[in-house]
Amino acid sequence: MLEFRTQGFNGYAVKYSPFFDSRLAVAASANFGLVGNGRLYILGLTTDGIVVEKWFETQDSLYDLSWSETHENQVVVAAGDGSIKLFDIGLDEFPVRSWQEHKREVFAVHWNLVGKDTFCSSSWDGCIKIWSPHRSDSLLTLPTHSCTYSAAYSPHSPSILSAVSSDSHLRIFDLRTPASVSNHLTLSIPIHAPPPTRPGLPPQSGIPPAEALTHDWNKYRDSIIAAAGVDRLIRTFDIRSPGQGPVAVLAGHDYAVRKVAWSPHLPDVLLSASYDMTCRVWTDGSALGVGGEEGLGNPMALGGGRELGRMGRHTEFVVGVDWCLFGAEGWCASCGWDERVLVWDVRAIMGS
């Protein structure tokens, strides 16, 4: 396990470069993101450990980042003052472009993985915006009417994006549809909806809505999305059957789940980061081929999924986690409010 200290700054997001297996970017904030500056770190993984290649200071907290899919040196960041900034790590000090349209904190940015020419942002102001790095204003605004903590493009389509919000809904937008009155909204799935009734058991009552903080598209199954948040549960949904409730429910975290990320290598495996100071690796049960372990004694569990292992080396909230796209299929990075970035091998914690 490799470690780097973001001295004086609490980590909020960590992302591996899509171009280099030895480069990371970290978005961090002073004073836990409540007040003060932000800092974007560019880190290199070397035989001598993790080294800083460059950092950029910002006037307000940074909450998220996304690497450009077309330019190996460019990173876009989401800031607490409502701004979005694009940095080029080949240049010094200042962003190459800055946008200021959101009215509240920007909590997520995500690059279009298929089209590669746009990125999206979501904010506490109840809006998702779509941007081109070459335009000075946004291309499109999609209202959610709710504080939107996470937005992402589908890795399978350049025109489909999703979001989760404080109203406990997963929304799917298809930009190929007419805007009309729905503003490209094609699905709105209540995350808290009860799962399908199991044979021989009474129907489950509804679960109170809770803020959804994170979600991620499965990289192999183009209709599967995982979502999680304040109620500590990770749920997977099949957007082909939006009225059927969750396909799987993974229970185990002790506090809110802040980040989920599907494996880029295995279709049933995902990572989570939580306020309980752990990162956990799970299978959603789709590849196990067994039904006898349903629930594993936890009445909230569903779908045969289970925890495969956990990493508990962080000493504060863990809020960011990401998989390495390259090399062996287990390397990942995590960051948290303990001012630490950890790079570790998921395979080393399997069964722990």
Side-chain angles (χ1 to χ4, degrees), residues 152-156 160-164 170-172 187 189 191 214-219 221-228 234-239 246-248 260 262 270 284:
Y153 276 97
S154 165
H156 310 282
I160 296 176
L161 64 156
S162 56
V164 295
L170 166 65
R171 292 176 171 84
I172 308 295
L187 284 177
I189 302 173
I191 296 171
T214 178
H215 77 299
D216 194 35
W217 289 81
N218 190 282
K219 308 306 186 289
R221 295 174 286 159
D222 61 5
S223 63
I224 301 296
I225 298 175
I234 302 169
R235 299 174 176 87
T236 67
F237 295 90
D238 190 332
I239 61 174
V247 177
V260 292
W262 286 101
L270 69 158
D284 69 352

Side-chain angles (χ1 to χ4, degrees), residues 16 40 90 107 112 114 136 148 198 203 210 229 235 265 284 297 337 351:
Y16 274 93
L40 170 64
F107 224 61
N112 190 325
V114 180
S136 59
T148 306
R198 304 184 202 178
R235 299 174 176 87
H265 306 288
D284 69 352
W337 283 12

Side-chain angles (χ1 to χ4, degrees), residues 40-62:
L40 170 64
Y41 291 89
I42 308 300
L43 305 178
L45 307 180
T46 73
T47 54
D48 296 322
I50 305 176
V51 299
V52 180
E53 295 182 354
K54 182 161 284 190
W55 72 63
F56 298 94
E57 296 273 358
T58 58
Q59 290 185 335
D60 212 305
S61 302
L62 295 184

Side-chain angles (χ1 to χ4, degrees), residues 112-344:
N112 190 325
L113 300 172
V114 180
K116 300 183 185 296
D117 56 347
T118 58
F119 64 91
C120 66
S121 63
S122 68
S123 168
W124 293 6
D125 64 7
C127 288
I128 301 166
K129 289 182 180 286
I130 297 173
W131 311 84
S132 165
H134 308 296
R135 292 276 299 271
S136 59
D137 51 3
S138 62
L139 303 175
L140 184 65
T141 299
L142 304 170
T144 64
H145 309 293
S146 181
C147 178
T148 306
Y149 290 107
S150 174
Y153 276 97
S154 165
H156 310 282
S157 169
S159 306
I160 296 176
L161 64 156
S162 56
V164 295
S165 305
S166 60
D167 64 356
S168 190
H169 279 71
L170 166 65
R171 292 176 171 84
I172 308 295
F173 299 88
D174 189 337
L175 304 183
R176 298 167 297 188
T177 62
S180 64
V181 294
S182 65
N183 292 295
H184 303 287
L185 180 69
T186 56
L187 284 177
S188 182
I189 302 173
I191 296 171
H192 55 281
T197 302
R198 304 184 202 178
L201 296 177
Q204 293 193 31
S205 59
I207 299 171
E211 290 191 313
L213 303 178
T214 178
H215 77 299
D216 194 35
W217 289 81
N218 190 282
K219 308 306 186 289
Y220 293 90
R221 295 174 286 159
D222 61 5
S223 63
I224 301 296
I225 298 175
V230 170
D231 67 3
R232 303 173 294 169
L233 301 175
I234 302 169
R235 299 174 176 87
T236 67
F237 295 90
D238 190 332
I239 61 174
R240 297 172 300 182
S241 305
Q244 296 302 305
V247 177
V249 178
L250 305 172
H253 276 297
D254 299 318
Y255 293 103
V257 181
R258 187 61 175 75
K259 186 71 175 178
V260 292
W262 286 101
S263 168
H265 306 288
L266 300 170
D268 66 310
V269 172
L270 69 158
L271 266 176
S272 60
S274 168
Y275 289 164
D276 66 11
M277 300 185 286
T278 68
C279 294
R280 307 194 188 197
V281 58
W282 312 79
T283 173
D284 69 352
S286 61
L288 292 179
V290 294
E293 296 185 64
E294 181 79 45
L296 291 172
N298 191 322
M300 298 303 297
L302 171 75
R306 59 190 175 91
E307 181 183 325
L308 299 176
R310 69 182 68 176
M311 189 280 290
R313 295 281 295 275
H314 283 284
T315 56
E316 253 291 358
F317 293 169
V318 191
V319 294
V321 69
D322 192 37
W323 295 88
C324 181
L325 297 173
F326 306 100
E329 61 191 32
W331 284 96
C332 68
S334 57
C335 68
W337 283 12
D338 55 2
E339 303 181 2
R340 295 160 77 210
V341 178
L342 301 180
V343 175
W344 45 285

